[in-house]
């Protein structure tokens, strides 16, 4: 039989071994106690040790601690949920407001298009009433697929321009980052370049249609120069809405001078071409009520007229590109917005004139 001093047991929660004889002494200690130690103290210590041992074995803090934590975190969770709900409600409100504003812009654009179509129909009716044949007046595009395509494309172009004006205005008001603003500016610039491409195709289909400006409102036609706006006039519009530095102002003045010189050269060429066309038509003889001009020279002169339209649009495109290089990205956005609003006001001017109050006759 082994002696008590050589026997060992594992102490619970201690991770070590204790001699059996010490446990036996501890049992005697609890049974007999020290004479100077009250029994209540021994019981209390033993109870606390049992309670701590029970909690350690379970690995939890007990239900009372959990309840306290839940009660403490409940108000915080409620506040966070309410803040999240408020943010979501504000976001939905902004989306509804944006959709409503876009709907108003779309409705206004459709109304403007209807007014333009009505004005065009009135003009066509006046031409037909004057005894002109529909094949000569056919600027509605029914007899020329190229012109019909251009008119549909131009209507969509105006819609996109109106939307881009709204986006530019919103970007400038909300101080959009420069990198995002640059993307928007590039998109607007490319939109104008698309118009020049469309006009080049339309000029090949019917250069007289394009030169007459029947695809524009009457107020826009009043300011037309070789199928579009004068680049020098464009610079005047932009400078009025921009705060330029001295160096920028000098560069814009030089650009304006170059534009005016190119415009004068093209205008002189157009006058000369018009004179040649007039002489070519006048040299023909009447045949069954129709002119029979020298067709070869006439067609060559008409091809030259298409080239003049293309060169004028090229000058307009170069002016926009040069202006964008002079300006900062935010100034370029302001300038494109001013140009878009200028075009819109010209289109609206026709409607205002047509719907003006008239005195009864």
């Amino acid at each position: 039989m082994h002696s008590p001093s050589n026997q060992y047991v594992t102490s619970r929660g201690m991770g070590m071994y204790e001699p059996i004889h010490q446990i036996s002494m501890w049992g005697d200690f609890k049974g007999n106690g020290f004479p100077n130690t009250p029994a209540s103290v021994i019981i209390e210590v033993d109870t606390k040790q049992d309670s701590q041992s029970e909690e350690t074995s379970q690995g939890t803090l007990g239900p009372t601690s959990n309840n306290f934590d839940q009660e403490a975190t409940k108000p915080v969770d409620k506040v966070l949920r309410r803040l999240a709900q408020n943010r979501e409600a504000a976001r939905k409100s902004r989306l509804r407001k944006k959709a409503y504003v876009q709907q108003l812009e779309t409705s206004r654009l459709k109304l403007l298009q209807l007014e333009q179509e009505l004005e065009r129909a009135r003009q066509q009716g006046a031409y037909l009433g004057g005894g002109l044949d529909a094949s000569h007046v056919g600027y509605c595009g029914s007899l020329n697929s190229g012109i019909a395509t251009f008119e549909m494309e131009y209507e969509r172009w105006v819609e996109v321009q109106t939307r881009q004006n709204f986006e530019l205005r919103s970007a400038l008001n909300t101080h959009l980052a420069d990198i995002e603003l640059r993307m928007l500016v590039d998109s607007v610039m490319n939109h104008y370049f698309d118009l020049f491409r469309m006009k080049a195709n339309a000029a090949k289909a019917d250069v007289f249609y394009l030169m007459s400006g029947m695809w524009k409102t009457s107020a826009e036609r009043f300011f037309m120069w070789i199928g579009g706006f004068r680049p020098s006039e464009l610079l005047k519009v932009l400078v009025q809405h921009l705060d330029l530095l001295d160096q920028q102002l000098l560069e814009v003045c030089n650009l304006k001078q170059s534009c005016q010189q190119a415009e004068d050269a093209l205008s002189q060429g157009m006058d000369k071409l018009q004179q040649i066309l007039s002489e070519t038509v006048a040299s023909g003889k009447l045949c069954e009520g129709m002119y029979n001009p020298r067709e070869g020279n006439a067609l060559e002169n008409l091809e030259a007229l298409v080239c003049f339209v293309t060169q004028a649009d090229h000058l307009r495109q170069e002016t926009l590109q040069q202006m964008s290089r002079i300006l900062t990205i935010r100034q370029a956005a302001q300038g494109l917005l001013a140009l878009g609003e200028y075009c819109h006001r010209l289109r609206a001017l026709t409607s205002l004139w047509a719907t003006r109050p008239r005195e009864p006759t």
Side-chain angles (χ1 to χ4, degrees):
M1 184 173 179
H2 299 285
S3 63
S5 62
N6 295 328
Q7 293 182 359
Y8 291 83
V9 297
T10 303
S11 177
R12 183 178 57 187
M14 299 283 294
M16 56 187 297
Y17 293 97
E18 293 181 354
I20 293 178
H21 69 86
Q22 292 182 4
I23 298 177
S24 177
M25 291 174 61
W26 173 245
D28 295 338
F29 166 76
K30 291 179 64 176
N32 301 326
F34 288 115
N36 297 330
T37 305
S40 60
V41 175
I42 298 175
I43 295 174
E44 183 179 353
V45 171
D46 189 53
T47 303
K48 288 183 179 179
Q49 289 177 349
D50 291 340
S51 175
Q52 290 175 355
S53 175
E54 216 170 60
E55 290 176 0
T56 305
S57 63
Q58 293 178 356
T60 60
L61 296 178
T64 305
S65 177
N66 288 339
N67 292 338
F68 178 78
D69 292 341
Q70 292 176 0
E71 290 299 326
T73 57
K74 186 179 295 184
V76 177
D77 294 340
K78 186 175 181 181
V79 170
L80 292 177
R81 283 198 305 270
R82 184 171 298 175
L83 290 176
Q85 292 173 355
N86 291 342
R87 286 195 296 268
E88 181 65 17
R91 187 183 68 84
K92 292 181 178 180
S93 177
R94 289 193 298 269
L95 291 176
R96 287 194 299 268
K97 181 179 179 181
K98 182 178 181 180
Y100 177 70
V101 172
Q102 290 178 346
Q103 183 179 4
L104 289 179
E105 289 285 339
T106 303
S107 300
R108 183 178 58 79
L109 176 60
K110 290 181 178 180
L111 178 60
L112 181 60
Q113 290 177 346
L114 290 175
E115 291 173 348
Q116 292 175 356
E117 292 176 3
L118 179 60
E119 178 67 18
R120 187 177 301 169
R122 287 174 180 172
Q123 293 172 353
Q124 183 182 358
Y127 291 144
L128 293 176
L132 294 178
D133 185 74
S135 62
H136 295 85
V137 181
Y139 294 135
C140 60
S142 58
L143 300 179
N144 192 321
S145 60
I147 296 303
T149 300
F150 172 76
E151 288 195 342
M152 290 187 294
E153 288 180 341
Y154 182 68
E155 287 182 1
R156 289 194 294 268
W157 189 91
V158 173
E159 291 180 5
V160 175
Q161 186 193 40
T162 302
R163 176 176 57 81
Q164 287 180 338
N165 289 344
F166 175 79
E167 292 175 351
L168 282 171
R169 189 182 304 108
S170 177
L172 291 171
N173 290 336
T174 57
H175 301 287
L176 194 67
D178 285 353
I179 185 171
E180 298 178 11
L181 194 60
R182 181 175 295 279
M183 295 175 61
L184 182 56
V185 167
D186 291 342
S187 176
V188 177
M189 291 282 288
N190 290 330
H191 190 54
Y192 280 101
F193 300 161
D194 288 340
L195 175 61
F196 301 147
R197 175 190 54 79
M198 291 157 44
K199 288 172 62 181
N201 295 332
K204 295 176 182 178
D206 188 348
V207 67
F208 292 121
Y209 163 84
L210 191 67
M211 290 289 296
S212 67
M214 291 301 298
W215 47 286
K216 286 182 170 290
T217 61
S218 55
E220 289 177 292
R221 290 197 298 272
F222 181 74
F223 295 97
M224 278 190 66
W225 172 79
I226 313 183
F229 56 82
R230 283 182 175 270
S232 58
E233 292 296 326
L234 163 66
L235 295 177
K236 289 182 181 179
V237 173
L238 296 183
V239 169
Q240 292 177 0
H241 295 83
L242 299 176
D243 294 328
L244 300 177
L245 301 175
D246 293 340
Q247 180 63 31
Q248 289 178 318
L249 190 59
L250 178 60
E251 293 178 0
V252 170
C253 290
N254 293 335
L255 178 60
K256 181 181 176 182
Q257 184 177 2
S258 300
C259 287
Q260 289 176 338
Q261 292 175 355
E263 290 170 7
D264 292 341
L266 287 174
S267 297
Q268 292 174 6
M270 280 293 300
D271 292 341
K272 184 64 175 178
L273 180 60
Q274 186 178 21
Q275 181 181 355
I276 294 174
L277 279 172
S278 178
E279 293 174 354
T280 302
V281 173
S283 64
K285 297 180 180 179
L286 283 174
C287 179
E288 296 180 358
M290 298 293 294
Y291 281 106
N292 184 19
R294 291 175 292 181
E295 296 179 357
N297 292 335
L299 291 178
E300 290 178 0
N301 292 330
L302 291 182
E303 290 177 357
L305 184 57
V306 173
C307 291
F308 271 101
V309 174
T310 304
Q311 290 177 8
D313 277 344
H314 179 71
L315 179 59
R316 284 184 270 265
Q317 180 171 336
E318 284 292 323
T319 303
L320 286 174
Q321 290 177 332
Q322 291 293 336
M323 196 68 183
S324 66
R325 296 188 186 100
I326 296 173
L327 304 177
T328 65
I329 188 61
R330 193 159 297 275
Q331 288 175 331
Q334 294 172 345
L336 289 173
L337 176 60
L339 176 59
E341 291 181 340
Y342 173 75
C343 295
H344 169 72
R345 286 193 295 269
L346 280 181
R347 289 192 289 264
L349 184 59
T350 300
S351 301
L352 292 175
W353 174 254
T355 58
R356 72 188 185 281
R358 295 182 177 88
E359 297 181 359
T361 55

